[in-house]
Amino acid sequence: MSYDTQVPPAAPQVMRNGLGTAALILGIIGTLSGFVPFFFWLAGILGVIALILGLVARGRVKRREADNKGVALTGVILGLASLVLSIVGLVIVVTAVSDAVDEIDKSIKDSAPKDPSASPKGKAPAADAGKDKGAGLADGDTSVYDDDVKVTVSDPKPFSPSEFSIGHTKGNKAYQVTVVIENGGKEKFDTTLVSFSATAGKDGVAAEQIMDDKVGAGFEGTIMPGKKATVTVAFDAPEDAKNLTVEVNPGFTYDASQWELKIG
């Protein structure tokens, strides 16, 4: 009787590559999250997990239990990158929040009256020191504010709206004024919130602002210290109106100033 003594071949070893693959995927997601500052927390969490999984996967590779050395190494590197980006994002967010709080505090301080009788940033115009506080400014007069922002409105001139203009009513007359804002302070002045309005005639009817290709654009951007900006604004007034009251408000922390202008 004969016996078969041949030993059957050993079953091939199954490689355990799951941790390396997971480290790579989490590292990629963590790194991408790190490029968005407000997701710094997600980048940090995923970076830690990817780093741990990647190191464990590297250990399996050394023990010949896995064969995805490159994938595991990439997961470790991306995990570290995620952690670095999360720290950078944290610094950016903290700095942004701190700056926002400072700006809010500054706005509150600037808008708070210095005494019960003082207005936020309003100040009696230098050119009209002798007038009553309720009196309007005349053409060419300058309204000076506490932060040395100066607003000047010129004498009104007749204006011919184009056929495509907005705000002009047939039968009415149009007038244009030049508004100059000069920044005499030490900080830049944002013109975003500058607004215009006007009334006309003895009854003070609203004079609509005219918009066309020549006027109506308004101020844009900021005015640096020592610089000035000029725009032309046009208003629609009844044909029989003899006066035009133009109001300019530099912003919500300022008092509006009015100019009493003669027309007609």
Side-chain angles (χ1 to χ4, degrees):
M1 180 181 295
S2 61
Y3 295 94
D4 187 1
T5 59
Q6 185 176 1
V7 179
Q13 182 178 3
V14 178
M15 294 299 173
R16 303 166 64 187
N17 293 328
L19 291 182
T21 303
L24 176 63
I25 295 173
L26 294 178
I28 292 174
I29 298 175
T31 302
L32 293 177
S33 301
F35 286 107
V36 182
F38 285 101
F39 285 165
F40 69 89
W41 55 272
L42 179 60
I45 294 173
L46 295 180
V48 171
I49 298 175
L51 180 60
I52 294 174
L53 294 181
L55 292 175
V56 174
R58 291 264 297 169
R60 287 184 175 180
V61 171
K62 291 181 179 180
R63 295 192 301 271
R64 300 181 182 274
E65 297 175 0
D67 58 0
N68 59 344
K69 178 179 179 181
V71 173
L73 178 59
T74 304
V76 171
I77 295 173
L78 291 177
L80 290 173
S82 299
L83 290 176
V84 173
L85 290 173
S86 69
I87 295 173
V88 174
L90 175 61
V91 173
I92 293 175
V93 171
V94 171
T95 302
V97 172
S98 178
D99 290 343
V101 172
D102 290 342
E103 286 295 326
I104 294 173
D105 290 342
K106 182 180 178 182
S107 297
I108 294 175
K109 291 179 181 178
D110 289 341
S111 61
K114 295 180 176 63
D115 57 67
S117 61
S119 56
K121 286 189 179 179
K123 182 180 180 181
D128 276 359
K131 288 187 176 182
D132 294 334
K133 290 184 178 180
L137 303 170
D139 60 89
D141 283 348
T142 300
S143 179
V144 183
Y145 291 87
D146 290 344
D147 57 354
D148 287 330
V149 169
K150 305 172 184 177
V151 183
T152 305
V153 176
S154 70
D155 186 31
K157 297 179 180 179
F159 176 72
S160 299
S162 68
E163 59 179 322
F164 302 107
S165 65
I166 299 174
H168 177 59
T169 301
K170 187 176 181 180
N172 285 356
K173 292 184 177 180
Y175 297 89
Q176 68 179 35
V177 295
T178 300
V179 180
V180 180
I181 295 182
E182 180 180 357
N183 184 4
K186 298 180 180 180
E187 299 181 2
K188 63 183 180 180
F189 173 75
D190 186 1
T191 64
T192 304
L193 299 178
V194 177
S195 62
F196 314 97
S197 61
T199 57
K202 61 181 181 179
D203 295 328
V205 297
E208 190 170 354
Q209 185 177 345
I210 298 173
M211 305 286 183
D212 65 8
D213 58 341
K214 299 178 182 178
V215 297
F219 290 100
E220 295 182 357
T222 58
I223 304 175
M224 301 304 293
K227 302 294 183 180
K228 62 177 65 176
T230 304
V231 297
T232 300
V233 187
F235 297 98
D236 193 55
E239 186 177 9
D240 60 348
K242 301 299 181 183
N243 69 288
L244 182 69
T245 302
V246 176
E247 181 175 286
V248 180
N249 191 334
F252 68 90
T253 59
Y254 293 80
D255 283 340
S257 296
Q258 293 185 344
W259 282 259
E260 298 290 345
L261 309 175
K262 295 181 180 180
I263 58 176

